[in-house]
Amino acid sequence: MSRAYNFSAGPAALPESVLRRAQEEMLEWHGAGASIVELSHRGPEFMQVAVEAEADLRALVGVPDDYAVLFVGGGATTQQALLPLNFAAAGQAADYVVTGHWGRTAIRQAAPYADLRIAASGEIDGFHSIPAREAWRLSEDAAYVHITANETIHGVEFRDVPDVGDVPLFADFSSSIASEPIDVTRYGAIYAGAQKNLGPVGIGVAIIRRDLLERVGQPRADIFDYRLQLANGSMLNTPPSWNWYMLGLTVKWMLAEGGVAEFARRSAAKSTLLYESIDGSGGFYRNQVDSAARSRMNVPFFLHDDALDQPFLEEARAAGLISLKGHRVLGGMRASIYNAMPLEGVQALAQFMREFQQRHG
Amino acid sequence: MSRAYNFSAGPAALPESVLRRAQEEMLEWHGAGASIVELSHRGPEFMQVAVEAEADLRALVGVPDDYAVLFVGGGATTQQALLPLNFAAAGQAADYVVTGHWGRTAIRQAAPYADLRIAASGEIDGFHSIPAREAWRLSEDAAYVHITANETIHGVEFRDVPDVGDVPLFADFSSSIASEPIDVTRYGAIYAGAQKNLGPVGIGVAIIRRDLLERVGQPRADIFDYRLQLANGSMLNTPPSWNWYMLGLTVKWMLAEGGVAEFARRSAAKSTLLYESIDGSGGFYRNQVDSAARSRMNVPFFLHDDALDQPFLEEARAAGLISLKGHRVLGGMRASIYNAMPLEGVQALAQFMREFQQRHG
């Protein structure tokens, strides 16, 4: 087949122009005599790539100067372990608000390093809503409060920044960074794996209020130390340079397309269309997430009869719509509609869903 | 310029056929409707890539069944922290043999987690030799003995596997894995960043004797737990899938070229030619490493007058020879001649060195 509309949750679709650029430069980058994936991370070629990627990411997300930007290998899960190591004293309280699978994952990474407290959890509700801020039980002595801004599997998203007072708010923005304006100043730290909205798999970013980097944290290897990473330009060791380069190309593409304001507009249009298709199906498709908490990025949905799951996936593939199978934790279907997914892809999915229902309803 | 001979120490040259294959498949992988960098790591397409890469790596390196193979994001430095976390009790002794810069780095990562002991160090000798095994002071209660099989910066390499009795031998093989036959059974663990001999930057491998994975280690995040990574097929979180794919292509290329026996032959030929060029220059070029410990992979050398360094680098680039600048720790020059560097590249470098000496000698 030719290139399909790819609804994968991550690794996810990349803009075709980014892939074509990477393809053109695969044998040689800008007359350097070698591909960027073959050149030293400390040489002038990659340094240019790295510096531009940071400047562009700062411009795209709106990162103030008093926040550091780090590029981190190993994924967002690794960062979930690094947060308490860097920002909590051993055994210090840390408050976690759990709104889905990835909140639980964050807890497992932090548990060895902090007095981990569940300030609120949506589990009792099947993770169909965001627990009301009034019901959170926050610790006065917490090192930080942790939220998952968007839950990739359960499809719930914070629509507002919760007020947690003077305690720094840490947020996993893996699946929604750069999809709408963020007021970075409301957060102590924002982190994200890149493989959803920022482009390629294999690299992540951390945006950290600089004063927090003065915290002592806990005994840890150099490689786990954000301060040392910052002092070394995110190159304490060899970084995933090709992935960094691809992130840079993707960020440049987002800036050229109009930035986060434009992607917020597109995300609203795409997600509205998809939820309307589900809600208007008379129960043939369903999504149970509270409308106030529905993710604009990840839309899980279920067919009224799971015997139709396999035909749905097969017929969708035949129609050029791939990676719609839900995460094994939930089953069913999931359409991830990150920045690289055009409205036309969601329109094609909505049309396919109507036709599938006509054939099988 | 067109593609040059690239002597970068890592990220390093990749086989051109691997780059061309990646280029061809950049927009779509094998009729899947998307690039491999865009597809779920848990889907059938990437699972095929991952399984083949492990099988091929096992065949290439000769990994017995009682050793696990893990693919790890974050680089070899991260693994240097994971070793004590997984294999030493808190505060247990661990013996380190330091033969250059990367041995020192390994110590910095492990120090927070073990009673770190320097069993031997080549520092007194300027890291120009491997300390004789008889002089090592090993602890009886050590969790493991750690060596750096090849030092990328100082250009020294173990020619024999040291006998350390029943204590497991852990070795950083980042810059020499797959360059000659390894008797894996002599080691408890072998680990490597891929960006030198195994291909792309952004991923590493760990080859671990399975019984060692039963050790309790220390409290640690799930993401730092080798046992959990093994139980999850190296996909406890989203792995750097594109990098894994590139590693797989590079390993397939090495198998097709004749495997480690062939690369041992080529490495001997390449390194012999280069050291002869240096030693035969009448002091114009010099390398001070003991001939018995000289690396076949990384050849640091110095011009007799460092005022010639910049002209050397500029004239080399004009001759299509790039990335010869030495690491900032040592200065001077360095030619890294991993598996992807053909003999013709080293011949071109040797000829250039002769001509440069004639012009400037």
Side-chain angles (χ1 to χ4, degrees):
Chain A
M1 71 201 303
S2 59
R3 282 180 60 77
Y5 289 121
N6 172 20
F7 295 90
S8 180
L14 290 166
E16 188 168 317
S17 63
V18 167
L19 290 171
R20 290 200 183 279
R21 177 78 173 274
Q23 185 177 46
E24 285 164 17
E25 296 176 349
M26 183 56 77
L27 274 291
E28 189 182 10
W29 185 86
H30 298 202
S35 170
I36 200 76
V37 71
E38 302 175 292
L39 289 168
S40 170
H41 51 296
R42 300 194 193 279
E45 298 90 354
F46 185 71
M47 285 307 300
Q48 180 187 334
V49 167
V51 166
E52 278 186 29
E54 178 176 339
D56 288 341
L57 183 66
R58 281 182 177 276
L60 180 70
V61 175
V63 181
D65 287 346
D66 57 334
Y67 283 71
V69 172
L70 296 173
F71 294 84
V72 190
T77 313
T78 300
Q79 293 208 52
Q80 292 171 341
L82 300 186
L83 294 177
L85 280 171
N86 281 272
F87 303 117
Q92 188 177 0
D95 287 335
Y96 279 70
V97 177
V98 182
T99 52
H101 178 81
W102 295 107
R104 288 193 295 217
T105 301
I107 283 175
R108 277 206 305 283
Q109 309 316 314
Y113 309 118
D115 174 12
L116 208 139
R117 300 178 185 176
I118 311 296
S121 172
E123 188 151 18
I124 195 168
D125 176 37
F127 295 125
H128 289 145
S129 63
I130 302 283
R133 170 67 189 84
E134 302 76 53
W136 296 11
R137 290 182 303 180
L138 296 179
S139 314
E140 288 203 358
D141 53 345
Y144 56 84
V145 179
H146 183 280
I147 64 170
T148 309
N150 179 75
E151 282 280 356
T152 319
I153 294 175
H154 288 89
V156 299
E157 183 175 16
F158 279 83
R159 302 303 317 146
D160 301 297
V161 188
D163 182 354
V164 295
D166 291 337
V167 177
L169 181 64
F170 289 3
D172 178 355
F173 263 94
S174 290
S175 44
S176 55
I177 191 169
S179 70
E180 65 180 342
I182 302 173
D183 181 356
V184 173
T185 65
R186 300 286 302 278
Y187 298 89
I190 286 170
Y191 67 98
Q195 72 272 16
K196 300 167 192 292
N197 266 316
L198 293 181
V201 65
I203 192 165
V205 300
I207 299 167
I208 302 171
R209 216 175 68 206
R210 290 185 194 274
D211 65 299
L212 296 175
L213 291 164
E214 300 305 313
R215 294 201 181 179
V216 172
Q218 303 176 34
R220 57 196 182 276
D222 283 3
I223 194 70
F224 297 151
D225 194 314
Y226 281 124
R227 264 179 315 186
L228 287 175
Q229 286 289 6
L230 179 63
N232 286 275
S234 301
M235 298 187 195
L236 192 68
N237 68 335
T238 310
S241 53
W242 190 83
N243 314 65
W244 196 332
Y245 151 77
M246 288 294 284
L247 185 155
L249 292 182
T250 309
V251 170
K252 272 192 199 304
W253 172 80
M254 288 190 274
L255 287 169
E257 292 285 307
V260 292
E262 171 63 14
F263 284 104
R265 199 188 60 71
R266 294 185 193 178
S267 294
K270 289 185 288 178
S271 58
T272 298
L273 171 58
L274 195 44
Y275 285 116
E276 284 177 354
S277 299
I278 294 166
D279 296 340
S281 70
F284 190 84
Y285 304 106
R286 69 190 153 78
N287 169 292
Q288 295 179 291
V289 177
D290 269 11
S291 59
R294 279 176 163 177
S295 167
R296 300 160 305 114
M297 296 287 113
N298 308 99
V299 181
F301 60 95
F302 300 86
L303 280 73
H304 75 101
D305 176 359
D306 62 15
L308 290 173
D309 284 2
Q310 202 53 38
F312 184 92
L313 290 168
E314 285 167 12
E315 294 178 30
R317 170 171 285 272
L321 309 166
I322 64 170
S323 307
L324 283 162
K325 190 177 180 183
H327 191 278
R328 61 209 154 105
V329 165
L330 280 192
M333 304 295 145
R334 175 175 49 175
S336 294
I337 49 177
Y338 303 121
N339 287 353
M341 172 61 65
L343 177 61
E344 292 72 23
V346 180
Q347 288 168 334
L349 174 58
Q351 183 182 336
F352 169 78
M353 288 169 69
R354 276 195 305 277
E355 294 170 356
F356 183 86
Q357 182 174 0
Q358 284 161 9
R359 284 197 297 277
H360 297 274
Chain B
M1 71 200 302
S2 57
R3 282 180 60 78
Y5 289 120
N6 172 18
F7 296 90
S8 180
L14 289 167
E16 190 168 317
S17 63
V18 167
L19 290 171
R20 289 198 183 281
R21 177 76 173 274
Q23 186 177 45
E24 285 164 17
E25 297 176 348
M26 184 57 77
L27 273 291
E28 188 181 10
W29 185 87
H30 297 202
S35 169
I36 200 76
V37 73
E38 300 175 293
L39 289 168
S40 170
H41 51 295
R42 301 195 193 278
E45 299 89 355
F46 185 72
M47 285 306 301
Q48 179 187 334
V49 166
V51 166
E52 277 187 29
E54 177 175 339
D56 288 342
L57 183 66
R58 283 183 176 275
L60 179 71
V61 176
V63 181
D65 287 344
D66 58 332
Y67 282 71
V69 172
L70 296 173
F71 294 83
V72 190
T77 312
T78 299
Q79 294 208 50
Q80 292 171 341
L82 300 186
L83 295 176
L85 280 172
N86 281 272
F87 303 117
Q92 187 178 1
D95 288 335
Y96 279 71
V97 177
V98 182
T99 52
H101 178 81
W102 295 107
R104 287 194 294 217
T105 300
I107 284 174
R108 276 204 307 282
Q109 309 316 314
Y113 308 118
D115 174 12
L116 210 142
R117 299 178 184 175
I118 311 296
S121 172
E123 188 152 18
I124 196 168
D125 176 37
F127 294 124
H128 289 144
S129 63
I130 302 284
R133 170 67 189 83
E134 303 75 55
W136 296 10
R137 292 182 302 180
L138 297 178
S139 314
E140 288 202 357
D141 54 344
Y144 57 83
V145 180
H146 183 279
I147 64 171
T148 310
N150 180 76
E151 282 280 357
T152 318
I153 294 174
H154 288 89
V156 300
E157 183 175 15
F158 279 83
R159 302 303 317 146
D160 302 298
V161 188
D163 183 353
V164 295
D166 291 335
V167 177
L169 181 63
F170 289 2
D172 179 353
F173 263 94
S174 290
S175 45
S176 56
I177 191 168
S179 70
E180 64 179 344
I182 302 173
D183 182 355
V184 173
T185 66
R186 300 287 302 280
Y187 298 89
I190 285 170
Y191 67 98
Q195 71 272 18
K196 300 166 192 291
N197 267 315
L198 294 182
V201 65
I203 192 166
V205 300
I207 299 167
I208 302 171
R209 218 175 68 206
R210 290 185 194 272
D211 65 297
L212 295 175
L213 292 165
E214 300 305 314
R215 294 200 181 180
V216 172
Q218 303 176 33
R220 57 196 183 275
D222 282 4
I223 194 70
F224 296 153
D225 193 313
Y226 280 125
R227 266 179 313 186
L228 287 175
Q229 286 288 6
L230 179 62
N232 287 276
S234 300
M235 297 187 195
L236 192 67
N237 67 336
T238 309
S241 53
W242 190 83
N243 315 66
W244 196 331
Y245 152 79
M246 289 295 283
L247 185 155
L249 292 182
T250 309
V251 170
K252 272 194 198 302
W253 172 80
M254 288 191 273
L255 287 169
E257 291 285 307
V260 292
E262 172 64 13
F263 284 104
R265 198 187 61 70
R266 294 186 193 177
S267 294
K270 289 185 289 181
S271 59
T272 299
L273 172 57
L274 194 44
Y275 285 116
E276 284 177 356
S277 298
I278 294 164
D279 295 342
S281 71
F284 189 84
Y285 304 106
R286 69 191 152 79
N287 167 293
Q288 295 178 291
V289 177
D290 270 10
S291 58
R294 279 176 164 179
S295 167
R296 300 160 305 114
M297 296 289 111
N298 309 98
V299 182
F301 60 94
F302 300 85
L303 280 73
H304 74 101
D305 176 359
D306 61 15
L308 290 173
D309 284 0
Q310 202 53 39
F312 184 92
L313 290 169
E314 286 167 11
E315 294 178 31
R317 170 171 286 270
L321 309 166
I322 64 171
S323 308
L324 284 160
K325 189 177 181 184
H327 191 278
R328 60 208 155 106
V329 165
L330 279 192
M333 303 296 146
R334 173 174 51 171
S336 293
I337 49 177
Y338 303 121
N339 287 352
M341 172 61 66
L343 178 60
E344 292 71 23
V346 181
Q347 288 169 335
L349 174 59
Q351 183 181 337
F352 169 77
M353 288 168 69
R354 276 195 305 277
E355 293 170 358
F356 184 86
Q357 183 173 1
Q358 283 162 11
R359 284 196 296 275
H360 297 274

